[in-house]
Amino acid sequence: MRTTLTTSIRALLTAIALLTGAAHGVEVESGHYWPDDAQLVISISMQFEATAQDPSDPGPFPQQEAGYPDTIAPTWYQYGMNEGIPRLLKLWDKHNIKVTSHMVGKAAELNPKLAKMVAEKGHEISGHGQSWTPQYSMTLEEERASYIHSANVLEKITGQRPKGFNAFWMRHSEQTLTILQSLGFIYHIDDLSRDEPSFTPVNGKPFVVVPYTFRNNDIVRYGGSSAMTAKAYLQELKDEFDVLYEEGKSQRRMMSISAHDRLAGSPARVKALDDFIRYAKSHPKVKFMRKIDIAKWTLKQQDVPTNPERVF
């Protein structure tokens, strides 16, 4: 009876938030924003995806003329598995923190021992599609089948069946969340609208958003017109931390960091992450959490912001 009553109250609060918009941007009144009374939670994503790319993907190099084999780009991606993931795993071990690994099914198939090692070290295995195919370009049947296939592959190799999801370049189709919910997923990260978890209603039920990042994302910050050195990225991470940590005194704040296998796993960039983690841990009440743990905790709260239901 108590469980039914609690569920009803939570549903009523969600409905009120949707109707009034009161949940948007308000500070939490309870004063207990995170487990262990943490002032700021940091969640790191480790993308396990290299070697699953399309053979024609040029990586950081100029696109070659059609008809000629690319002999170097594949080696740039292979670096992510040969050096990047092993180096990052040593870093997480050094600091005794657990991360979420968004893992492409094909990449796990091509590197099964390494994929299994990620899980054996206590890191979360999260869905990231079976291949580098955009979700939005698939039919409903293709999209659903790809998620089932990928989840089966990851479970067989790592022993974990994913409950979270990160789409190819964060782009969903109109039916992505509905499909994920029907397959037992409880959260996704493809939402940049907040610095804290939130709910997006799907078929009348809360689907958790554990927000991702473009700001603290190596694939954005180490390339293109906004390219940074590792030292500059470290300073930006510290500045981001400082603001969110201060805000965390009076509202729920979460900091997301993205680390791609072939990018963040280089020596200089691992040093930047190492320096940042030591900086963050020098502050009291900072907690590192996997995204599955954030999502499960969020589902138990009643003061979570609720987004409008997605309408296409």
Side-chain angles (χ1 to χ4, degrees):
M1 181 65 181
R2 180 176 298 175
T3 301
T4 302
L5 180 59
T6 301
T7 302
S8 299
I9 292 173
R10 185 177 300 148
L12 177 61
L13 290 171
T14 299
I16 292 172
L18 280 170
L19 289 172
T20 65
H24 294 269
V26 293
E27 296 184 356
V28 182
E29 295 181 357
S30 66
H32 301 285
Y33 313 119
W34 287 111
D36 303 321
D37 282 335
Q39 186 170 320
L40 177 65
V41 159
I42 301 174
S43 186
I44 300 176
S45 297
M46 183 176 70
Q47 309 301 102
F48 191 110
E49 58 188 26
T51 68
Q53 75 280 356
D54 188 277
S56 64
D57 193 307
F61 306 101
Q63 185 75 53
Q64 287 192 177
E65 294 180 38
Y68 296 93
D70 191 333
T71 60
I72 186 62
T75 69
W76 182 76
Y77 284 107
Q78 189 63 53
Y79 184 91
M81 296 301 157
N82 291 347
E83 304 286 355
I85 293 294
R87 188 173 284 131
L88 288 167
L89 288 176
K90 290 177 182 177
L91 178 64
W92 315 142
D93 283 349
K94 174 181 177 180
H95 289 286
N96 192 30
I97 62 177
K98 306 302 178 185
V99 305
T100 292
S101 185
H102 306 292
M103 195 171 284
V104 173
K106 184 179 178 182
E109 288 179 313
L110 293 171
N111 307 274
K113 291 183 179 179
L114 192 56
K116 185 177 181 181
M117 183 185 298
V118 174
E120 288 176 341
K121 287 181 173 292
H123 305 297
E124 177 196 358
I125 306 302
S126 177
H128 198 20
Q130 177 58 23
S131 65
W132 286 28
T133 303
Q135 277 68 41
Y136 57 80
S137 67
M138 300 180 186
T139 66
L140 187 151
E141 293 75 18
E142 289 171 339
E143 188 175 0
R144 181 179 178 85
S146 74
Y147 297 161
I148 294 173
H149 182 194
S150 182
N152 288 342
V153 165
L154 295 180
E155 184 175 28
K156 180 179 180 181
I157 293 173
T158 71
Q160 289 187 39
R161 193 167 188 85
K163 295 293 184 182
F165 187 74
N166 172 208
F168 179 82
W169 268 108
M170 305 183 68
R171 301 290 178 75
H172 291 189
S173 74
E174 296 181 2
Q175 62 266 358
T176 297
L177 294 186
T178 299
I179 296 172
L180 292 173
Q181 184 189 66
S182 72
L183 296 177
F185 288 76
I186 65 171
Y187 81 89
H188 77 103
I189 70 169
D190 305 313
D191 189 319
L192 305 173
S193 63
R194 300 178 189 277
D195 289 318
E196 65 177 313
S198 60
F199 292 142
T200 293
V202 178
N203 295 320
K205 300 177 182 178
F207 200 81
V208 182
V209 175
V210 182
Y212 198 36
T213 178
F214 243 43
R215 304 188 304 272
N216 307 323
N217 192 322
D218 56 2
I219 206 167
V220 178
R221 306 315 262 160
Y222 287 139
S225 60
S226 63
M228 285 182 162
T229 64
K231 185 70 72 175
Y233 186 52
L234 168 61
Q235 187 59 55
E236 185 157 295
L237 290 177
K238 287 182 176 180
D239 292 344
E240 179 108 353
F241 173 91
D242 288 345
V243 173
L244 292 174
Y245 185 72
E246 181 65 25
E247 290 180 351
K249 294 177 180 178
S250 60
Q251 60 187 126
R252 183 176 294 127
R253 299 283 82 178
M254 172 190 153
M255 182 176 179
S256 178
I257 299 174
S258 177
H260 287 71
D261 41 42
R262 67 269 183 203
L263 292 167
S266 69
R269 293 164 185 175
V270 162
K271 182 181 185 304
L273 287 173
D274 186 13
D275 289 347
F276 170 73
I277 293 169
R278 285 191 288 106
Y279 177 76
K281 292 175 72 173
S282 71
H283 295 70
K285 305 178 75 172
V286 172
K287 187 175 183 68
F288 288 82
M289 293 181 69
R290 305 182 309 170
K291 289 176 173 59
I292 184 63
D293 301 318
I294 293 173
K296 289 180 177 179
W297 181 85
T298 300
L299 282 169
K300 298 177 182 178
Q301 310 309 305
Q302 296 184 1
D303 52 8
V304 179
T306 302
N307 308 307
E309 189 161 6
R310 291 192 175 189
V311 179
F312 298 94

